[in-house]
């Protein structure tokens, strides 16, 4: 897989980075059960639409499938995937305290494994659905993780991806504007100046970099479908009250070429990827999913 400039930069600095162990001990958001379960509901709704399954029957969306949550931490999303009817549900992470909490609460229906995402302990083609939600920026070598997920995914399997954009203005972990735009040394100084951390570990990529990272997959973009029809994807309005209703109406009616012009700076992309060509099977949406042109 050809590397873009960002991943080449990642290679140069990877020797200075270590795996983010015990991440749930550092980021309280990983233990916010309500928020994590809301994220899971959105993930399951997107998968239901892509697979053409009835989202009104949430306990059957993943019926008969083997599902893995890569970067599961405390296990809330994995637990929801199990509740969506998965035949087998697996949660993987290197966050030992998070895995311990997950196993204590949900080990009866989810198998939790301490494993590096670049060396998944599964046979080739053995997983039907993988979830990789806002994880890539935390790992040392995201290209290696993506490659191993490609290996373990079945030929007709599905990979759900929540991907932060380097050009999103507000950095999501430390809530500092333009933090992800900066080179590593400047970003370190920025987080220290505001007392947020000693070091800025995360490494985001731009949309072109993410497209190259997924070059071996066929990808559909659900970003605008979810924003324009949040009620169909277990979400709420972008903003409360009249502002939210107006924003939703605008997104529903805006011509797609105008929305595409915003893609370089959208803070988060929601993509569904497959190893072989597949199309979304769900009902028509105000803003339908569109294919993403991946490139080598």
């Amino acid at each position: 897989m050809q590397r873009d400039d960002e991943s080449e930069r990642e290679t140069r600095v990877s020797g200075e980075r270590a795996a983010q162990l015990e991440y749930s001990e550092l980021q309280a958001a990983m233990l916010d059960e309500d928020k994590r379960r809301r994220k899971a509901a959105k993930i399951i709704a997107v998968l239901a639409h892509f697979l053409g399954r009835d989202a009104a029957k949430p306990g059957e969306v993943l019926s008969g499938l083997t599902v893995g949550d890569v970067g599961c931490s405390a296990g809330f999303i994995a637990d929801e995937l199990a509740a969506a009817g998965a035949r087998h549900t697996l949660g993987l992470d290197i966050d030992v305290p998070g895995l311990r909490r997950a196993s204590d609460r949900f080990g009866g229906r989810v198998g939790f494994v301490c494993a590096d995402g670049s060396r998944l302990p599964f046979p080739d083609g053995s997983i039907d659905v993988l979830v990789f939600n806002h994880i890539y920026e935390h790992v040392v070598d995201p290209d290696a993780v993506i490659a191993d997920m490609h290996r373990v995914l079945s030929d007709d399997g599905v990979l759900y991806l929540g991907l932060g954009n380097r050009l999103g203005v507000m950095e999501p972990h430390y809530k500092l504007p333009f933090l992800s735009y900066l080179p590593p040394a400047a970003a370190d100084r920025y987080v220290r100046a505001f007392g947020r951390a000693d070091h800025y570990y995360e490494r985001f990529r731009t949309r072109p970099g993410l497209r190259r990272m997924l070059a071996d997959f066929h990808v559909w973009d659900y970003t605008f479908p979810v924003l324009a029809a949040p009620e169909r994807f277990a979400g709420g309005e972008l903003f409360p009250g009249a502002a939210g209703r107006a924003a939703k109406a605008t997104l529903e009616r805006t011509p797609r070429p105008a929305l595409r012009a915003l893609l370089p700076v959208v803070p988060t992309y929601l993509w569904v990827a497959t190893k072989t060509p597949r199309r979304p099977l769900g009902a028509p949406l105000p803003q339908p999913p569109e294919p993403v042109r991946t490139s080598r």
Side-chain angles (χ1 to χ4, degrees), residues 23-150:
Y23 187 67
S24 61
E25 302 287 283
L26 303 174
Q27 284 285 346
M30 302 305 295
L31 303 180
D32 185 336
E33 181 167 353
D34 184 61
K35 185 175 181 180
R36 301 297 290 173
R37 290 192 185 276
R38 289 199 304 271
K39 285 180 180 290
K42 178 173 65 178
I43 291 167
I44 291 165
V46 170
L47 290 170
H49 186 271
F50 187 85
L51 295 169
R53 299 196 174 191
D54 189 353
K57 298 178 180 178
E60 301 177 12
V61 168
L62 300 177
S63 177
L65 302 177
T66 297
V67 181
D69 181 15
V70 179
C72 67
S73 192
F76 300 118
I77 290 176
D79 182 56
E80 292 290 335
L81 295 171
R87 179 178 56 190
H88 302 294
T89 307
L90 303 156
L92 300 98
D93 212 314
I94 56 173
D95 175 6
V96 172
L99 286 171
R100 189 176 297 116
R101 290 187 181 93
S103 184
D104 287 346
R105 286 194 62 183
F106 313 122
R109 60 178 176 177
V110 178
F112 292 101
V113 182
C114 185
D116 185 326
S118 63
R119 295 185 296 274
L120 297 169
F122 307 128
D124 296 0
S126 60
I127 308 295
D128 300 308
V129 175
L130 284 169
V131 172
F132 194 55
N133 186 51
H134 295 286
I135 303 298
Y136 89 91
E137 70 270 21
H138 300 289
V139 303
V140 174
D141 189 351
D143 295 292
V145 178
I146 293 293
D148 212 47
M149 290 195 293
H150 187 279

Side-chain angles (χ1 to χ4, degrees), residues 67-254:
V67 181
D69 181 15
V70 179
C72 67
S73 192
F76 300 118
I77 290 176
D79 182 56
E80 292 290 335
L81 295 171
R87 179 178 56 190
H88 302 294
T89 307
L90 303 156
L92 300 98
D93 212 314
I94 56 173
D95 175 6
V96 172
L99 286 171
R100 189 176 297 116
R101 290 187 181 93
S103 184
D104 287 346
R105 286 194 62 183
F106 313 122
R109 60 178 176 177
V110 178
F112 292 101
V113 182
C114 185
D116 185 326
S118 63
R119 295 185 296 274
L120 297 169
F122 307 128
D124 296 0
S126 60
I127 308 295
D128 300 308
V129 175
L130 284 169
V131 172
F132 194 55
N133 186 51
H134 295 286
I135 303 298
Y136 89 91
E137 70 270 21
H138 300 289
V139 303
V140 174
D141 189 351
D143 295 292
V145 178
I146 293 293
D148 212 47
M149 290 195 293
H150 187 279
R151 177 187 66 81
V152 304
L153 199 66
S154 65
D155 286 342
D156 60 351
V158 174
L159 167 61
Y160 174 95
L161 298 139
L163 301 167
N165 176 13
R166 185 182 177 190
L167 299 183
V169 172
M170 186 62 69
E171 203 280 342
H173 304 90
Y174 300 100
K175 310 302 181 186
L176 293 172
F178 303 108
L179 173 60
S180 56
Y181 286 52
L182 299 176
D188 286 348
R189 290 193 294 270
Y190 191 10
V191 294
R192 285 197 294 267
F194 283 85
R196 303 295 171 83
D198 293 328
H199 173 69
Y200 183 59
Y201 184 97
E202 287 71 20
R203 299 289 184 266
F204 287 96
R205 299 183 182 187
T206 62
R207 183 178 175 88
L210 294 170
R211 286 169 44 216
R212 285 186 280 269
M213 186 172 77
L214 273 296
D216 290 334
F217 285 90
H218 304 268
V219 179
W220 287 85
D221 194 334
Y222 270 80
T223 307
F224 289 132
V226 170
L227 290 173
E231 72 287 349
R232 300 195 190 192
F233 293 98
E237 297 170 339
L238 287 174
F239 313 103
R245 291 191 293 274
K248 178 178 179 297
T250 299
L251 283 166
E252 285 179 342
R253 296 194 300 264
T254 300

Side-chain angles (χ1 to χ4, degrees), residues 214-220 272-278 292 294:
L214 273 296
D216 290 334
F217 285 90
H218 304 268
V219 179
W220 287 85
V272 173
T274 59
K275 289 172 67 169
T276 55
R278 295 185 63 177
V292 175
T294 56

